Structure formats: structure tokens, C-alpha cells
Amino acid sequence: RALSFLVVSCPCAFVISVPLSFFSGIGAASKAGVLIKGGNYLEALAKVDTVVFDKTGTLTKGVFNVQKVVVYDENIDENEFMYYVASAESGSNHPISKSIQKYYNKEINSTSINSIKEISGKGIEAVINNKKVLVGNEKLVNLPKDISVTDVGTILYVEIDNVFSGYIVISDEIKEDAKRAIKELKNIGIKKNIMLTGDLEKVAKKVGEDLELDETYSNLLPQDKVSKFEEIIKNKTSKGSVIFVGDGINDAPVLARADVGIAMGAMGSDAAIEAADVVIMTDEPSKIVTAIKSSNSGKNRILNMAMYSPETEDNSNIAYDTKSFNFYNPEEIYLSKERFRLLNQYLKNNLSKMENEIFEYMLSEMTYTEIAKKTGRELKSVDNSIQRIKKKLKTFIEEYEKN
């Protein structure tokens, strides 16, 4: 506030206020563990209406555990089966490979490994003790027609010496704050939350239902993610920006293509962090909300300073972004200074004391949960009050649009 007062008293208000407001927004976000790489990305975050997520390591922890081992080949036991799988996976740093090593829990004899080749989006092809070993999805391993796997999780099929030998079920856990993040994104006006994953449809569907996502797309190879992302952008009907959130090396092309690419910094790959415009250092999906709020706060500061700057004429039009405050109209409306004053007066006269308090909290971009905690009221009661405020604002805007 002190900075705002200083800037508006300067004859060159806009020249100083705009970059300082961006610096302020970037600084506030960095304190919360969100690194924004430039003012242009901070500005783009204020226009976001669609968020697209990768699954593994983004919405889920990326910490896999072996849940089930099924051996079909009668000529080998589970120990030998796991020896071949663990040996084939020993050359990879992928979380799935690490879970195999952890489950096997024995030292790998590197002299028995003739070769290892990682096939992107499919799995691993290796030669162990002169036997060809395939470990991966159904795109890599030929499944017998009578095999039907109903387990929910990541399924690794195994073929040893051209014989289907069995499969392993591996599961991941959803991050603790992922569901809260999706809910808060909806509360601040995000229209669509979408997930792209290379996992099976039933796995993607389960995660999508648990997190209440709007859309999920599964069985995607790295290049398919880029194509699907382009399709999402092409089919958008709104003018808002699109965020992509990911963490792996395969996510780098999509991160670079997005209006704003956000990478998980703690566990994310170097390629993803380099390609991203925003880095979340704590790997918490809820920090996406923090980044958007920082952007909206910076934008609102600029508008407020424009509104009260001595250089702004009384009859000039001021952009008043209702989307930032969760109002009914997702587009920007324009109010003159006089109308803006009348709007505030109208709401003050037509809102109860409690509604006025809630309205102030809305302007400071608090979520419904935060307002409920601040006012000591139940979430349903706060929601009802906010709906009444929105109706009254709508009435005011409709009256002035007629004029």
C-alpha cells in the first residue's frame, strides 16, 4: 500500500508502477515456493481458464510400490521371474524401475546383463544371460488372447525368450493436496481441469473420479501428449490461457508449447524445469492456485493505481476484471470512475454487514474455505452469501449495461 501511494503521487505513475507491481507479484510468489521466470508469465497467469495436468509425479506422488506379481510361465518361479525383470530395469532411473529394484531387494549381477534398451512410451528391451527380456505395456509385449487383467494400477507385462511369462501390478498414490488444489482452482474461476497420462484408461478414470477432474485422456505416448494438447487448445471456445503442469523429461515439449508451463521442481527432471515458465519448488499442486492469485493481485494493483493516478482523466474507462473476484461474468467489463464509485456505494447499501465483510474478503482473493475460517461460518453459509452478492452485482451491471 505504501508503494502504491508513492507511485501514484509520481508524474510518471504508469512507467514506475507496472514493472514494480510485477516485481511485487513475482516476489510474493517466490516466498511461497513458486518461482515465476518473468513478468509476461505472471501476466498470462491472470488470464488462465484451463489447466492441463500430467499424472505421475504431478497429481500423484510418483512413488510406486509393487502390489502384485503373477507368474504364468511354469518353468520359472517368482524369484527367477523377478531376477530377469529387476536386471532389465536396473539401467533406468524411472520411479517404476526403482519400485522394482526395491521389491526385488537383491544385488544385480551386472555381468549377466548383455544389453538394455529403453523404448519411449512402451518399456524396456534387454538381453539377460543371452535371453531376450521385454518389460512394458501391451504395446511392447504380445499378450495371449486368454489373458485378462482386471487389477487397477500400472501393469508391467513380461516376456522372456519370446514366451509371455507374467505381469506385475504397480500402484502410485495421489498427493495429499491434489484434490484440494482442483477444488480451489474451480473456486477461483478455472473452467476446465484436464489430465493427460500414458497409463491405462481404467487407471486414468479412477484418478479422474477421485480428483473430480473434468476430462482425462489415457494411453498417450510422449508425442501423443503434444498432439492432444494442441487439440485441447484448438477446441477451446474461450479466450483464456492454458496451463500445462508436468514433471518428467517427456513433458518438456508440452511445457514449452503451453501459454504457461509449470514444472514440479523438487522431483522434476532438469529438462522439464528448463522448459517451464513457472517452477513449484515444493511439488504441491495447490501452489498453482498461489501462482494465479499472485498474478491476479499484481494485475489488480496496476488497475487500482491506474484508477487513482492523477494522470487518469475522470471520464476514462477503467478495466475492472470481475473474473479475479469469482463474479458471474468471466469476461472483463469496463467501468468509468463514476460507475466504479456507484458500484461500491450500491453494494454497501444493499449488502448486510456480514455480506460486506465477505465481499471485502472476495476482493482480497480468498477462497471459500479461507473466508469460512476467517468469518467463523460454515462453508455452505458462506457459499449462500457469495451467491447473493453475485446476484446483486449482476443486477447492478445489467442496469448500467442498459444505459
Side-chain angles (χ1 to χ4, degrees), residues 290-316:
T290 302
I292 294 173
K293 282 186 174 182
S294 294
S295 175
N296 285 331
S297 294
K299 182 178 179 181
N300 292 337
R301 274 193 295 272
I302 293 171
L303 296 179
N304 287 336
M305 285 186 282
M307 215 170 283
Y308 297 110
S309 171
E311 294 182 0
T312 307
E313 296 295 333
D314 286 341
N315 61 353
S316 63

Side-chain angles (χ1 to χ4, degrees), residues 324-388:
S324 301
F325 306 136
N326 281 329
F327 290 152
Y328 85 104
N329 189 348
E331 304 298 330
E332 283 189 345
I333 60 172
Y334 290 87
L335 301 175
S336 68
K337 277 186 176 181
E338 178 61 18
R339 287 187 177 183
F340 182 72
R341 184 186 66 78
L342 291 174
L343 168 63
N344 287 337
Q345 188 63 41
Y346 174 85
L347 292 175
K348 187 175 180 180
N349 294 337
N350 287 274
L351 298 181
S352 66
K353 184 178 179 181
M354 178 57 73
E355 286 172 344
N356 264 300
E357 183 182 355
I358 290 174
F359 180 61
E360 289 299 321
Y361 292 140
M362 290 170 68
L363 293 179
S364 64
E365 299 168 26
M366 284 188 179
T367 64
Y368 285 26
T369 305
E370 290 169 338
I371 294 174
K373 186 176 180 181
K374 195 80 174 177
T375 58
R377 302 175 71 193
E378 292 184 0
L379 193 60
K380 186 176 180 180
S381 174
V382 170
D383 182 58
N384 290 336
S385 296
I386 290 175
Q387 296 309 316
R388 287 195 296 272

Side-chain angles (χ1 to χ4, degrees), residues 2 6 23 33 60 71 79 84 122 175 182 187 206 208-209 216 260 268 309 328 346 350 371 376 388:
L6 174 65
F23 295 154
T60 64
V71 181
N79 185 60
Y84 280 108
K122 296 182 179 180
K175 289 181 177 178
I182 301 300
N187 285 344
K206 178 73 165 57
E209 288 174 352
T216 59
V260 182
S309 171
Y328 85 104
Y346 174 85
N350 287 274
I371 294 174
R388 287 195 296 272

